[in-house]
Amino acid sequence: MNHAHQKFTQALTTLPLVAILRGLTPAEALPVGQALVSTGWTLIEIPLNSPQPLDSIAAMAGAYPEALIGAGTVLTTEDVRNVQAAGGQLIVSPNFNPAVVREAVRLGMVCLPGVMTASEAFGALEAGATGLKIFPAEMITPAVVKALRAVLPKQAPVMPVGGVTPDNMGAYLAAGANGFGIGSALYKPGMTAAQVADSAKNFVAAYTGTMRA
């Protein structure tokens, strides 16, 4: 297990929440990164349709080596290589592209492709995906996650993304989800680092409270 996968495995046992920072600018990268890391978040993705995303990834990866930093909306093998060159170790996609997964695996990166069906899920795992991004979760109820979880390998992390809030995390966790990707409920462009920290703390409280319950 390489260092990137060690970070991911550790996060799954402590705080398996991926911060999705769509629209983040390089100037915001370090203050927002600090707001997240200081509240316990170690999984951070900057979607490639953000302004100068590779610059933000490089800044965060350099400043917060304890965190697993990478990119979302990764659609091509060239994207994968560019993220790795910037210092990123995490590849998240809205879809399952076997070539993208295989390239991430080749480079030793953590890879979470987006899947919606059992066929996509098994195909992604066969290609070497580290875990599965269940997307969009607005269309995939906890009951569907439970049905997928019944047939998927127990060791395969399942992480719903899309419309996840502190209020609905418990139902997904009870259905067998292992973590979540959190987007606009955590960060929207223009938010201050202090606002992001407050939002991050709310999600930490919701997750830990649900796990205790």
Side-chain angles (χ1 to χ4, degrees):
M1 185 184 293
N2 66 22
H3 195 41
H5 286 80
Q6 286 174 343
K7 291 181 192 177
F8 183 68
T9 300
Q10 177 63 29
L12 284 177
T13 64
T14 53
L15 187 70
L17 305 179
V18 181
I20 303 170
L21 305 178
R22 192 178 307 279
L24 187 82
T25 66
E28 298 170 300
L30 294 187
V32 170
Q34 178 61 34
L36 292 167
V37 171
S38 67
T39 51
W41 294 62
T42 59
L43 303 175
I44 301 173
E45 68 159 277
I46 299 164
L48 291 183
N49 54 2
S50 303
Q52 299 170 266
L54 297 175
D55 291 344
S56 296
I57 290 167
M60 272 201 201
Y64 309 112
E66 71 275 25
L68 183 66
I69 311 290
T73 319
V74 178
L75 303 178
T76 69
T77 54
E78 183 181 11
D79 286 342
V80 176
R81 292 189 289 273
N82 289 340
V83 171
Q84 195 224 21
Q89 299 177 302
L90 172 66
I91 295 295
V92 185
S93 302
N95 63 321
F96 164 48
N97 179 334
V100 167
V101 174
R102 285 194 293 267
E103 186 68 358
V105 171
R106 184 182 76 82
L107 294 173
M109 303 167 86
V110 170
C111 183
L112 304 173
V115 303
M116 187 185 283
T117 67
S119 293
E120 290 177 331
F122 280 102
L125 294 174
E126 188 173 345
T130 313
L132 301 171
K133 169 183 171 176
I134 305 296
F135 179 79
E138 290 96 336
M139 296 176 63
I140 304 167
T141 64
V144 175
V145 171
K146 185 176 182 180
L148 286 172
R149 183 80 274 179
V151 296
L152 289 170
K154 286 184 170 52
Q155 71 273 19
V158 169
M159 307 180 79
V161 179
V164 175
T165 69
D167 295 329
N168 63 15
M169 292 168 69
Y172 281 107
L173 289 168
N178 302 97
F180 303 93
I182 314 292
S184 59
L186 171 71
Y187 169 84
K188 295 185 185 73
M191 287 177 70
T192 66
Q195 289 172 321
V196 175
D198 286 343
S199 182
K201 289 173 188 172
N202 288 340
F203 272 103
V204 171
Y207 176 77
T208 54
T210 299
M211 293 306 289
R212 280 197 296 268

